[in-house]
Amino acid sequence: MLDRRLHRVAHSAALCGEREQTRAPVIRASDGRAVRDSVAVVRRATLVDLTRPTPCSAWNLGDLLEHMTVQHRGFAAAARGAGADLTRWKAEQPGPGTIRRHLAAADEVIEAFAEVEAADQGFALPEFGTDAVFPAVRAIGFHFIDYVVHAWDVARALDVPFAPSPDPLDAALPLALAVPNDAHRRRPGAAFAPAEPHSTLRDPLARILLHLGRSPSWTPPADDTSAGG
């Protein structure tokens, strides 16, 4: 019985790998679109906006942008074989250079992903564990989902519209739904809050947000006085 189970697991993994190989160009192109969508929103921010609250309750906008920047740099390093270097994953403090750093890092990660030649190229991602290495297509998928959601986070923090093109959302939805909704989400510092019901909805962005623990109706706290203007 155990041998049969192992065979089924191995067969499923092989099929998953085959699907990932065929999806790799779509995921990379979609990631690039998601990053550019996020850049378009970030360009609307100014220095005085960095203290605005965000849907990521532990972070204001400056903290969120520095997180997004270091993720770009870390994933770019991983694409170029240097992801295990922990210095590539150290975020800077928010300040006058935050927006400029973010825009430069966005260009860097798009360029680095464009250099990846094989869907199974190893990406070292130490945030998942000291020796964590993932195939490129899966790692880029992680990055892709992050930037669909974080672009929305920034737009909500700035209280500006966010209308990404539909193709990346269609590509992102199955990846988002594959994120387990388990007990890990209730732990301090979890990447995502527990999922909210969404199966009856047709809007892919709303479903992505709800599955990853965001509220599509989030607005800044009523007593927030940090917004500029």
Side-chain angles (χ1 to χ4, degrees):
M1 179 63 73
L2 180 59
D3 287 345
R4 290 179 181 177
R5 287 177 182 172
L6 290 175
H7 176 75
R8 285 198 296 268
V9 170
H11 181 62
S12 296
L15 289 177
C16 182
E18 290 172 7
R19 288 195 295 269
E20 286 184 335
Q21 292 280 345
T22 60
R23 295 202 320 264
V26 173
I27 292 174
R28 177 161 54 184
S30 297
D31 176 81
R33 180 68 64 85
V35 172
R36 292 184 181 95
D37 285 343
S38 72
V39 163
V41 179
V42 172
R43 287 187 184 278
R44 302 184 68 165
T46 65
L47 181 61
V48 297
D49 292 318
L50 298 187
T51 55
R52 287 176 177 259
T54 74
C56 306
S57 59
W59 292 335
N60 63 22
L61 183 58
D63 298 325
L64 174 59
L65 290 179
E66 291 294 354
H67 165 76
M68 292 167 67
T69 296
V70 80
Q71 290 290 303
H72 281 333
R73 289 177 172 171
F75 273 83
R80 290 168 169 159
D85 180 356
L86 296 180
T87 65
R88 306 295 185 99
W89 301 89
K90 184 176 176 57
E92 298 189 42
Q93 291 298 310
T98 291
I99 295 171
R100 172 182 50 78
R101 282 194 294 270
H102 179 76
L103 299 178
D107 288 339
E108 180 183 357
V109 78
I110 290 173
E111 291 170 4
F113 285 177
E115 297 166 6
V116 174
E117 296 183 351
D120 59 355
Q121 174 183 320
F123 273 45
L125 301 178
E127 291 189 328
F128 289 88
T130 305
D131 299 315
V133 178
F134 296 87
V137 62
R138 197 169 302 173
I140 294 172
F142 297 157
H143 185 267
F144 170 35
I145 291 298
D146 250 10
Y147 285 86
V148 170
V149 175
H150 282 329
W152 176 86
D153 289 333
V154 175
R156 295 313 312 130
L158 294 172
D159 197 20
V160 298
F162 179 58
S165 54
D167 288 349
L169 293 182
D170 290 341
L173 181 58
L175 298 180
L177 296 183
V179 177
N181 183 34
D182 56 21
H184 288 83
R185 296 210 192 185
R186 299 187 183 277
R187 295 180 179 177
F192 302 111
E196 299 291 342
H198 59 79
S199 60
T200 62
L201 301 180
R202 299 186 66 181
D203 178 3
L205 179 58
R207 293 194 66 193
I208 290 166
L209 295 171
L210 287 164
H211 186 74
L212 298 181
R214 299 290 203 276
S215 169
S217 61
W218 185 92
T219 57
D223 60 351
D224 175 51
T225 59
S226 63

